Amino acid sequence: MRIEFDRESCIGSGICESIAEDIFRVAGDGLMELVADELDEGRRQVVENAVSRCPTAAIRIAED
């Protein structure tokens, strides 16, 4: 599973980081950055939660 992220859509709400700080982090400029962009299936539920709660739909799951 691969995570895709549209940085231009991000508003830096930090919801994704609060859900999975090992995957997402709010950077110094206030926008999110990926800590890890490829994950095993065991983390899918957490990533899906972050995807569904992102207010600007900036995060997506891409199947390889």
Side-chain angles (χ1 to χ4, degrees):
M1 170 179 58
R2 188 169 37 87
I3 302 170
E4 294 181 345
F5 169 65
D6 180 4
R7 191 166 171 81
E8 292 181 22
S9 296
C10 181
I11 60 171
S13 70
I15 293 171
C16 56
E17 182 179 35
S18 72
I19 294 169
E21 63 185 22
D22 62 323
I23 301 170
F24 308 102
R25 169 178 56 218
V26 176
D29 63 0
L31 300 179
M32 192 274 286
E33 64 184 9
L34 292 172
V35 176
D37 62 350
E38 290 194 31
L39 299 165
D40 63 49
E41 287 296 316
R43 297 293 288 168
R44 178 176 286 276
Q45 189 66 38
V46 172
V47 174
E48 286 177 351
N49 188 20
V51 168
S52 70
R53 298 201 43 217
C54 179
T56 61
I59 309 167
R60 307 177 273 297
I61 295 174
E63 302 300 334
D64 291 330

